[in-house]
Amino acid sequence: MPRNTASAARDTRDTHTSANVPASGLGDAEAHRGPTGDPLLAAKFAIPAVPRTLVRRQRLLDRLTTGTAGPLTLITGPAGAGKTTLAASWVAEGTAPGPVVWLTAEHEDKAPGVFWAYVLEALHHHRIDLPEDPDRPGSADFVEHSLLTRLASGLARRHRPVVFVLDGLDQVPVREVTSALDFVLTHAGQSLRLVVISRVDPLLPLHRYRAQGRICEVRSADLAFTRREATTLLRGHGLESCEESADTLTTRTGGWAAGLRLCALEMQRTDDPNGFARSFAASQSAVADYLLAEVLDTQPETTRDLLMRSSILDRVHPDLANTLTEREDAEWILAGLTRAGAFVESVAGTRWCRFQPLFAEVLRTHLRHHHPGLEPRLRRLAAAWLADHGRLTEALEQAAATADWEWATARMVDDLEIGRLLTGPEAYRLASCFTGMPRDLPGTAPALVAGACAAARYDLAGCRAQLDRAEEHIRTAQAQPSPETQLALSLLRLLSSPGGGDRDRDAVREADRTLDLAGRVPRSRRAEHPEIEALRRYGLARGLLLTGRLGAARTAFAAAADGRTDATDVVRHLSLGQLALLESLRGELNEAEKHARLALATARCRSVPPARRSGIGHLALATVALERGDLRDALHHLDLGSECPDAEHDPVTCTEMLVARAHLNRAQGRGRAALAALEDRPPALPPWPAQRIALADSAIHVARGDPTAAISALHEAGPDASAHVIALARAHLASGDPDRALGLLPAPGDHRDAGITQRVAVLLIRAHAALLAKDTESAHSTLGRALAVARPETLRRPFLEAGPWVRHLLELGPDAAQRHAWLASASAPLVVEQLSVRERQVLEHCAQVMSTEEIAAAMCLSVNTVKTHLRSIYRKLVVSRRGEAVRRARELGLL
């Protein structure tokens, strides 16, 4: 459908009403006429009026001013992009380097003689005097070369340049016209500045102008409205209260000027402008007529058919479009649409194309109206093509749109894609495909996919319920399931194990079964899915950890963290975090810190979606900070870890969060708060997390001076026998029974394979027992060995929490302050013993800058008693002066 004068002369501007007035204004008898004998229409020379609601876009105005310092400025973009409005507003600014001539070209002007007749008349209309006035073309079909030569020569002899704005050159796709235009532009020198407005690149030799640096280009991406400009546009339409909608509209329209303006006009008419902005359907209806008239209706039937059929896709490949249209011309048509700026753009570096979102919605509506019932068939065709070409996620999105769950779940299982629901860069997008699937859909594959989706949400109980359904379907079918089905079932069983020690679901056995089933799948297919082996190793490591087989779990986590592909990054992130936690609990703080930071870096820099990021890495760093006495850093990482999705779902993460917070409260002298933190433990914990709670509970009771409660907390041994024995020995020592405590400990030399933390703890118990037995020499020697073991890792907490005897014993040795300065170098040293009620009262009076005598009078105590309390406060807070004691108490929240 040819564009009329109004649509040809503007994208989104006011119409001009004098389309049929001759150029001279004197009537047909004296009007300047073209070579066909028809009058030349004056409306083509009119500079369009600037809309009242114009958004002044200084960045583009400046670009045009700079560009017209050279010979050629090109403004290209789709219909409604604001090309003409931009040029007209720039002319109105008055920053052009010379007089401006405007010509709007139309499809009827494609004959060379007609086109150049309009060019010469435009110069005359805008009163551009030439030293030698060229003759008008005598024929519509060609132009004498001498005319072009005289025109170029006349322009070149002007003192001031002429800025010639040629709007709609895409309507004159004639090589003879553009070649002649290039000739005149080249030979007019600095006296002609050409501004071309076009929907597509004109047939000018743009490559040459680019190579010579003689062109300024303003493309559709430059014309797109920014969020700030969209906000200004809404304000210009009286929609000041809708500024929050600017982001939504800018994203939905892609910054398309006409779309934004049409939406703003519709928002003026509605009672709920912000609701309109949120509604995709409303936005679509606001611009549908424009897009249909300006874009779709101007295309041939075959092109319209391809656009409508391909609109079901976010991105379309020529071969896929051929499948949908059952033709072979898609590549040629899509290339033409891309060149024409018909709201189709190519994806850089590929053969794929994408549609502007609103345009795609309009096309889909058009498809449903004109071809009811065709969309589901097209989506099934697209799903099959995409799956066969390695684009399963996009295929599943097409299947989900038609609720073809049987096909979608079968492809997930049969193609070994079940692990991609749990790891990989598209895990979240894949899981989103199945949000609309009924959870009780019959069949083995739907149950397996539903189970994997539940596991991705940390709903392990829900996962196990779906796996039970899958096994029931297998039994009912009375047929041997495929190796792929068995592999998916075994892998999910391993990953969802509650870790309760059920022999039928033992982690090692299930992991071995998974490995055996994977071996039944062709090796080439296994190589395409490294995530299966990574998940198997992680499931094995997790099962070993939950049941307390820590050494084996550590080895398994290290193996699971070995993969370095996008498909296994989630597993690597999780495994490195768990490995770091185990190392921090063993006292291997340097390695723990390294692996924890690597876990966090993996999450930030690679393919780990936010929904799959674990807090275990932050938790490991918090544990490292606690062991080194850095309370601020510990609290910082605890807070970061608690914000991660697994903080409330994973039993290990949840338990260690509670334990770390309890130790932090204990370090700050808040024993009751420490015990209260442990009371929030999840119900029915697996063996090892349950033991971790018991060990922390016992340690806090020891610190509070209640060894009976500490022993009671350890009534069950738990899977980590060494940790249980050490905690029990510490509690018996605190109760005044050193012989029983020593009897529980392993013989010297039997704990070489234990972690650094346990070795230090055993040595400290032996040292304290020796000191209580008045064997100061042996106590000092044993304490020295403990310090030697701890120092390479800067492990401070066991010494700072052991009690005041450690400091007194160290003071007996020569150069103790210098040799053991590392113990007190933390940014926030821990409290070595909890303050009594009286000591807190004395400290509060110190904070009020009261003298010793004033404190004694206020508390009805003797001065010597107050001094005794002060000495005890200094010792417990590891300070030597009153001011330091007050400052440290405030840091620890004691005041």
Side-chain angles (χ1 to χ4, degrees), residues 57 81 112 122 158 167 198 206 309 314 327 347 394 499 501 547 645 657 676 687 703 807 811 830:
R57 308 169 77 186
R158 284 182 53 84
D167 188 2
S198 177
L206 300 180
R309 288 171 178 261
D314 292 329
R327 299 198 309 270
V347 178
E394 295 168 67
T547 52
M657 287 279 182
R807 182 172 181 177
E811 290 173 350
L830 303 178

Side-chain angles (χ1 to χ4, degrees), residues 562-585:
D562 192 44
R564 298 191 180 186
T565 67
D566 287 349
T568 60
D569 276 342
V570 170
V571 176
R572 178 171 168 78
H573 163 65
L574 295 170
S575 299
L576 284 170
Q578 297 280 9
L579 183 61
L581 178 65
L582 287 175
E583 289 167 338
S584 69
L585 298 181

Side-chain angles (χ1 to χ4, degrees), residues 642-667:
S642 65
E643 296 172 1
C644 294
D646 64 338
E648 297 181 0
H649 302 284
D650 179 68
V652 172
T653 307
C654 182
T655 297
E656 291 303 319
M657 287 279 182
L658 297 178
V659 170
R661 289 204 181 274
H663 284 315
L664 186 61
N665 280 310
R666 172 192 173 190

Side-chain angles (χ1 to χ4, degrees), residues 596-609:
R597 296 197 182 282
L598 189 55
L600 299 179
T602 301
R604 288 192 302 268
C605 303
R606 296 182 65 84
S607 310
V608 182

Side-chain angles (χ1 to χ4, degrees), residues 854-884:
E854 290 171 334
I855 296 173
M859 298 182 64
C860 301
L861 299 174
S862 68
V863 172
N864 287 336
T865 301
V866 172
K867 290 180 178 179
T868 300
H869 285 316
L870 285 172
R871 285 193 295 271
S872 178
I873 290 170
Y874 298 162
R875 174 179 54 80
K876 290 181 179 181
L877 296 181
V878 197
V879 297
S880 57
R881 294 182 178 85
R882 184 179 297 195
E884 292 176 352

Side-chain angles (χ1 to χ4, degrees), residues 3 7 10-13 57 76-86 197-199 220 223-225 233 253-262 287 290-291 294-295 341 343 356:
R3 299 195 311 174
S7 63
R10 61 196 58 83
D11 293 307
T12 53
R13 62 177 188 264
R57 308 169 77 186
T76 58
K83 306 180 295 296
T84 301
T85 299
L86 171 64
I197 303 172
S198 177
R199 291 187 181 181
S220 56
L223 292 167
F225 271 55
L233 184 146
T253 62
W256 176 44
L260 284 168
R261 196 174 300 278
L262 290 169
V287 300
Y290 186 98
L291 288 170
E294 288 289 329
V295 183
F343 294 91
Q356 196 265 4

Side-chain angles (χ1 to χ4, degrees), residues 780 807-820:
H780 197 277
R807 182 172 181 177
H808 295 322
L809 194 58
L810 288 176
E811 290 173 350
L812 299 177
D815 303 322
Q818 182 177 359
R819 288 188 295 111
H820 303 299

Side-chain angles (χ1 to χ4, degrees), residues 498 542 545-546 578 581 585 615-616 619-620 622-623 626 638 641-642 646-664 674 676-697 700:
R542 180 180 174 277
L545 177 63
L546 291 176
Q578 297 280 9
L581 178 65
L585 298 181
I616 204 73
L619 183 53
T623 304
L626 272 173
L638 272 176
S642 65
D646 64 338
E648 297 181 0
H649 302 284
D650 179 68
V652 172
T653 307
C654 182
T655 297
E656 291 303 319
M657 287 279 182
L658 297 178
V659 170
R661 289 204 181 274
H663 284 315
L664 186 61
L678 297 177
E679 292 175 358
D680 292 333
R681 71 193 74 179
L685 282 172
W688 185 70
Q691 184 184 31
R692 291 286 299 154
I693 294 285
L695 292 173
D697 199 5
I700 293 167

